[in-house]
């Protein structure tokens, strides 16, 4: 948008191609690559898990990745206004994606925990490597020192020092979500620091984000490479790698394996969140997003695979040192990042060095995803109200208000019962079923209502290369089918959330969880029904009107040629 009397600011573009690539890489390569993929791979058949994983990569991950990036680049709009312009009937998809991204801002608490661990790593002795601290109980056992003398019976009736540090020092864990308890002020200070960093990463839009990603998107790879080399040189590393990839073909008959592969792809590739639309919208119209997407998807999956070697080589060392099976030390999610890996690091020479490397990597991986998600939300709102928000100083003020709102909403997560609240958000508000549901409608709308053929023409016009026909097949048939089957199975196979395998949430907490999940799901049909009800004309006329794209969208070469032919025909008839 041009400046009006010097008041309205330009929307802006990426300063260079590298800024876009690094921003997208930082967004899609996140904590899920490190703490979720390796665990899912070993638990769901090892090397055999790569078969359903690759099936979902081809049928859902890459097609949706290209589709969303191209949508943003074509419309030059954020996720909400993009859908309004391409298919007004499907505007609810944009709102639902941004709501889920807003819920995802709650993951900043993970970065606060990681920052606390990073600070603690500079101690002369790692605090999770001993039982001589005020928070330790009589049942505490130091695995790094006594691993050769402990038997299985002793381990069952004791608590490792790393778990006591995590539960009693970091979380100050209460007895349940009913017992919120007091605020952990040290974690609160870490959370404040994380939000301040997020604010200054995005406060100037792509001008600041594009520069920050040069560091935040590349340095985690340096740390990952260092940890990979260190892990593979440890005794027992080979045992861990074999355990990670050893194929179990029998697991392929389990629908749960396929469903988890699908949800991992959606989270790992950041599709159906709207962030790819936002990032793509800052590209120049003729950027080759087709080639970019193929390379970025390859980078994402390769990072997940390599992270598995880094993680399981260390877990193999840990299992070898303790004399226990690897499945006894392999965990997913917070358990891997804040218990298993720190415990393994404590057994290495120079443990402080490896702890610092690991938690710097975790913070930067999570930070990229968080501030890019925030940028997507901000882009969406600013594109909805450009005359109000694209004035000098208003963007910074709006971002400050958004960050403060999210921060105050997170205060409950730094209390003694905060972990229970976090798990509720993680399992319901940001549930894989919500993303799968959006995927079904996104692919159906773009494949059938807007038209896969039209989207092909648009991509060809922008990139000067026509995508493989497989993408059209996916958008129209394979992606909605795979997403729908996975969504139905995830609902049918639903199990109520428990914490630490023993704590059962009260009924009101489950009701709140389902309310969070439905808040995004119901936006899609709710928006469509609302627009149909308030429209004018017959039902068919309303439907047709709401399915027509904005007439002010850029014309492709084919459309321009066709328009010219029509004009020439009209002119010749007139003469």
């Amino acid at each position: 948008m041009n400046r009006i009397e010097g008041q309205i600011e330009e929307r802006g573009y990426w300063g260079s191609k590298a800024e876009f690539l690094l921003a997208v890489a930082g967004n899609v390569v996140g904590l899920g690559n490190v703490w979720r993929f390796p665990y899912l791979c070993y638990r769901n058949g090892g090397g055999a898990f790569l078969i359903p994983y690759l099936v979902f990569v081809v049928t859902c991950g890459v097609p949706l990745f290209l589709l969303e990036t191209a949508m943003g680049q074509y419309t030059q709009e954020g996720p909400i206004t993009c859908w309004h312009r391409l298919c007004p009937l499907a505007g609810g998809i944009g709102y639902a994606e941004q709501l889920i991204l807003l819920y995802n801002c709650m993951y900043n608490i993970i970065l606060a925990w990681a920052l606390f661990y990073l600070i603690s790593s500079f101690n002369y002795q790692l605090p999770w490597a001993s039982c001589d601290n005020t928070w330790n109980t009589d049942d505490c056992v130091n695995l790094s020192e006594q691993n050769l003398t402990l038997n299985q019976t002793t381990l069952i009736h004791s608590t490792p020092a790393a778990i006591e540090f995590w539960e009693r020092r970091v979380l100050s864990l209460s007895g349940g979500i009913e017992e919120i308890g007091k605020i952990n002020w040290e974690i609160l200070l870490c959370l404040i620091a994380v939000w301040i960093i997020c604010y200054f990463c995005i406060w100037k839009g792509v001008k600041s984000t594009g520069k920050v990603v040069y560091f935040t998107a590349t340095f985690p790879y340096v740390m990952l490479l260092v940890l990979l080399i260190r892990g593979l040189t440890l005794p027992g590393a080979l045992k861990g790698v074999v355990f990670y990839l050893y194929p179990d073909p029998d697991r392929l008959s389990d629908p749960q394996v396929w469903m988890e592969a699908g949800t991992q792809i959606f989270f790992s590739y950041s599709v159906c969140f709207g962030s790819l639309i936002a990032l793509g919208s800052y590209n120049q119209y003729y950027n080759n997003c087709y080639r970019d997407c193929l390379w970025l998807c390859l980078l994402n999956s390769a990072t997940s695979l390599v992270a598995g070697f880094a993680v399981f080589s260390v877990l193999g060392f840990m299992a070898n040192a303790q004399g226990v099976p690897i499945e006894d030390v392999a965990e997913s999610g917070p358990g891997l990042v804040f218990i298993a890996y720190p415990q393994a690091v404590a057994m290495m020479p120079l443990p402080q060095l490896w702890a610092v490397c690991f938690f710097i990597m975790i913070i930067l991986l999570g930070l990229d995803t968080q501030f890019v998600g925030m940028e997507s939300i901000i882009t969406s709102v600013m594109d909805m109200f450009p005359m109000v928000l694209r004035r000098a100083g208003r963007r910074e003020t709006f971002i400050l208000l958004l960050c403060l709102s999210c921060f105050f909403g997170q205060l409950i997560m730094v209390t003694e019962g905060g972990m229970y609240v976090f798990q509720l958000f993680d399992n319901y508000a940001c549930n894989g079923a919500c993303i799968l549901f959006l995927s079904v409608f996104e692919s159906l709308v773009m494949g059938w209502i807007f038209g896969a053929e039209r989207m092909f023409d648009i991509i060809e016009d922008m990139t000067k290369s026509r995508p493989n026909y497989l993408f059209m097949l996916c958008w129209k048939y394979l992606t909605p089918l795979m997403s729908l089957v996975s969504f139905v199975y995830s609902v049918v196979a639903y199990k109520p959330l428990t914490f630490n395998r023993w704590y059962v949430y009260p009924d009101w907490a489950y009701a709140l969880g389902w309310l969070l999940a439905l808040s995004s799901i119901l936006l899609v049909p709710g928006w469509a029904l609302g627009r149909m009800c308030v429209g004018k004309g017959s039902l068919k006329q309303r439907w047709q009107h709401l399915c027509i794209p904005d007439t002010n969208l850029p014309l492709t070469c084919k459309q321009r040629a066709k328009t010219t032919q029509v004009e020439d025909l009209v002119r010749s008839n007139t003469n």
Side-chain angles (χ1 to χ4, degrees):
M1 181 178 291
N2 297 326
R3 294 179 182 274
I4 300 175
E5 297 179 358
Q7 294 180 345
I8 305 301
E9 297 180 347
E10 295 280 353
R11 190 176 188 276
Y13 294 97
W14 294 109
S16 66
K17 180 67 166 281
E19 291 182 7
F20 166 69
L21 293 175
L22 289 173
V24 177
N27 177 47
V28 299
V29 178
L31 294 175
N33 300 75
V34 175
W35 80 4
R36 197 165 184 267
F37 175 82
Y39 176 79
L40 289 179
C41 197
Y42 113 78
R43 193 181 73 178
N44 293 307
F49 178 72
L50 296 179
I51 295 175
Y53 178 84
L54 290 174
V55 168
F56 274 96
V57 165
V58 173
T59 60
C60 297
V62 180
L64 288 175
F65 197 103
L66 172 61
L67 177 64
E68 293 190 5
T69 307
M71 286 167 60
Q73 184 169 309
Y74 173 60
T75 60
Q76 304 283 293
E77 298 279 357
I80 293 177
T81 47
C82 172
W83 280 106
H84 286 327
R85 297 190 71 186
L86 296 178
C87 181
L89 184 71
I93 298 177
Y95 288 104
E97 289 174 342
Q98 296 314 288
L99 182 59
I100 293 176
L101 269 183
L102 192 62
Y103 290 149
N104 264 300
C105 292
M106 298 298 113
Y107 284 101
N108 259 9
I109 189 65
I110 296 174
L111 303 184
W113 295 330
L115 180 59
F116 184 76
Y117 268 83
L118 176 63
I119 295 170
S120 301
S121 300
F122 290 98
N123 289 341
Y124 177 75
Q125 182 183 43
L126 295 178
W128 58 84
S130 71
C131 292
D132 304 325
N133 306 288
T134 56
W135 59 82
N136 292 126
T137 66
D138 294 337
D139 295 327
C140 178
V141 60
N142 186 356
L143 298 181
S144 61
E145 291 182 359
Q146 304 183 43
N147 54 77
L148 298 178
T149 61
L150 291 172
N151 56 41
Q152 194 65 29
T153 304
T154 306
L155 284 171
I156 292 174
H157 294 91
S158 61
T159 307
I163 293 180
E164 290 208 346
F165 178 78
W166 168 239
E167 293 185 351
R168 298 177 61 84
R169 179 71 176 90
V170 179
L171 300 180
S172 301
L173 199 61
S174 68
I177 196 171
E178 309 94 331
E179 304 173 26
I180 292 299
K182 62 180 184 297
I183 288 177
N184 186 330
W185 292 101
E186 290 166 313
I187 302 299
L188 177 61
L189 291 175
C190 291
L191 184 63
I192 292 172
V194 168
W195 276 109
I196 290 174
I197 294 171
C198 278
Y199 174 78
F200 284 107
C201 284
I202 58 177
W203 73 316
K204 291 294 184 182
V206 290
K207 294 179 182 178
S208 58
T209 305
K211 302 301 181 288
V212 171
V213 292
Y214 278 104
F215 174 73
T216 59
T218 57
F219 199 65
Y221 284 96
V222 177
M223 294 291 98
L224 184 61
L225 181 63
V226 170
L227 292 169
L228 174 64
I229 295 172
R230 178 54 183 154
L232 292 175
T233 58
L234 293 168
L238 181 60
K239 180 181 176 183
V241 171
V242 171
F243 186 80
Y244 163 50
L245 289 178
Y246 185 79
D248 180 9
D250 294 338
R251 296 286 290 138
L252 293 179
S253 61
D254 185 357
Q256 181 72 21
V257 173
W258 290 81
M259 195 272 289
E260 291 194 347
T263 54
Q264 172 62 16
I265 287 298
F266 281 90
F267 279 108
S268 180
Y269 277 52
S270 289
V271 291
C272 297
F273 284 91
S275 52
L276 292 175
I277 296 177
L279 295 175
S281 71
Y282 291 106
N283 278 331
Q284 299 286 350
Y285 181 81
Y286 290 109
N287 174 63
N288 194 338
C289 58
Y290 181 49
R291 182 181 58 202
D292 295 344
C293 291
L294 296 179
W295 281 111
L296 287 165
C297 290
L298 178 63
L299 174 69
N300 189 337
S301 293
T303 303
S304 295
L305 194 62
V306 171
F309 286 99
V311 168
F312 270 86
S313 60
V314 172
L315 295 182
F317 157 74
M318 183 177 172
N320 182 69
Q322 295 181 31
V324 298
I326 295 181
E327 53 262 37
D328 290 350
V329 298
E331 295 197 47
S332 177
L336 171 63
V337 175
F338 298 114
I339 298 176
Y341 210 99
Q343 191 168 282
V345 164
M347 299 178 178
M348 300 180 193
L350 301 175
Q352 290 84 354
L353 172 63
W354 306 116
V356 167
C357 288
F358 178 71
F359 286 109
I360 286 177
M361 180 186 72
I362 292 297
I363 290 171
L364 292 179
L365 282 174
L367 189 63
D368 260 341
T369 305
Q370 286 302 302
F371 71 67
V372 169
M374 293 289 291
E375 179 63 52
S376 175
I377 297 171
I378 293 155
T379 296
S380 296
V381 178
M382 291 191 69
D383 285 346
M384 291 175 68
F385 309 104
M387 301 299 292
V388 176
L389 295 176
R390 283 194 200 149
R391 297 178 184 272
R394 293 191 180 180
R395 175 189 172 90
E396 292 85 345
T397 303
F398 172 63
I399 296 174
L400 179 61
L401 292 174
L402 180 62
C403 289
L404 285 174
S405 299
C406 292
F407 167 73
F408 285 114
Q410 266 188 304
L411 283 180
I412 193 172
M413 293 187 186
V414 297
T415 62
E416 294 173 342
M419 186 59 173
Y420 301 102
V421 179
F422 170 77
Q423 291 281 31
L424 203 64
F425 267 87
D426 185 42
N427 282 269
Y428 289 95
C430 308
N431 191 291
C434 302
I435 308 301
L436 291 168
F437 181 83
L438 294 182
S439 170
V440 174
F441 284 90
E442 180 174 308
S443 50
L444 287 176
V445 169
M446 295 305 296
W448 292 95
I449 298 179
F450 183 81
E453 294 83 359
R454 180 187 293 176
M455 200 67 214
F456 254 48
D457 291 341
I458 290 169
I459 294 174
E460 183 179 17
D461 188 60
M462 293 191 300
T463 65
K464 306 308 177 187
S465 59
R466 195 164 181 83
N468 190 292
Y469 183 76
L470 177 63
F471 286 97
M472 187 179 297
L473 191 65
C474 289
W475 294 339
K476 297 183 74 170
Y477 304 104
L478 297 180
T479 303
L481 177 63
M482 297 289 285
S483 301
L484 180 61
V485 171
S486 299
F487 171 74
V488 171
Y489 180 79
S490 66
V491 173
V492 172
Y494 163 77
K495 294 180 181 178
L497 172 67
T498 58
F499 181 76
N500 276 355
R501 301 184 182 91
W502 59 267
Y503 174 74
V504 178
Y505 283 75
D507 291 339
W508 65 263
Y510 290 123
L512 177 60
W514 276 107
L515 188 63
L516 290 170
L518 292 173
S519 63
S520 58
I521 288 177
L522 295 180
L523 273 174
V524 179
W527 173 268
L529 288 173
R531 291 299 303 269
M532 289 289 287
C533 290
V534 300
K536 297 180 180 180
S538 66
L539 196 61
K540 182 179 179 180
Q541 289 173 332
R542 297 180 195 180
W543 173 272
Q544 291 175 339
H545 175 70
L546 290 172
C547 292
I548 297 174
D550 188 349
T551 55
N552 292 322
L553 286 168
L555 296 177
T556 64
C557 289
K558 289 185 179 180
Q559 290 172 325
R560 287 193 294 269
K562 187 176 180 180
T563 302
T564 302
Q565 289 176 357
V566 172
E567 290 176 348
D568 291 342
L569 183 61
V570 171
R571 193 177 298 112
S572 63
N573 290 336
T574 303
N575 295 334

